[in-house]
Amino acid sequence: MTSPEQKYERRYGVDEALKGKYAECDGGASLPVVLPNGRWGLMPGRQTFKGVLTGLYFDQGDPPWRWYEMLISHDRPTDYPDETVWCEPGFLFLLGDEEAEAGAWKKLMP
């Protein structure tokens, strides 16, 4: 049985097969918008990142939820301050890999 503290503990690893692969990651973020009531607020939005996978990943939760680290080298949202982003496998697309569009991301699941 997993304790509540262990459930959210990150377990890190390295996937050598993904290290250095060029990829696109579709992620979410809170974006400032004018709400229906006329006030400023935050709403969920989609953002696209392109870069190189470092190979580093972490699993968290039970069942495990995996995230891969990407070094942002090409496309990034203008207001995104970090050099890296964590990508969920279901929204990670390997570029230049013909299998990527055929669901190869499922092979990345823990």
Side-chain angles (χ1 to χ4, degrees):
M1 180 118 173
T2 304
S3 73
E5 294 81 27
Q6 291 172 320
K7 184 174 182 177
Y8 297 104
E9 183 179 293
R10 291 182 177 185
R11 295 165 301 283
Y12 288 89
V14 175
D15 186 332
E16 293 292 334
L18 290 179
K19 189 184 275 186
K21 295 273 187 171
Y22 183 55
E24 181 175 308
C25 178
D26 182 27
S30 296
L31 302 173
V33 297
V34 176
L35 299 171
N37 64 6
R39 294 185 182 178
W40 280 99
L42 296 175
M43 294 289 288
R46 305 302 304 165
Q47 297 181 307
T48 300
F49 302 86
K50 287 184 184 176
V52 177
L53 297 172
T54 66
L56 183 64
Y57 69 84
F58 72 83
D59 292 334
Q60 184 177 34
D62 184 22
W65 191 358
R66 182 161 287 183
W67 297 85
Y68 289 93
E69 183 184 49
M70 175 191 290
L71 177 62
I72 306 165
S73 59
H74 291 77
D75 293 347
R76 80 168 65 227
T78 55
D79 59 347
Y80 190 81
D82 298 324
E83 297 298 318
T84 61
V85 64
W86 290 96
C87 304
E88 185 181 9
F91 298 98
L92 181 63
F93 306 95
L94 300 178
L95 301 175
D97 183 350
E98 14 341 293
E99 289 186 30
E101 290 185 31
W105 65 268
K106 291 179 183 177
K107 297 176 190 173
L108 304 177
M109 298 300 284

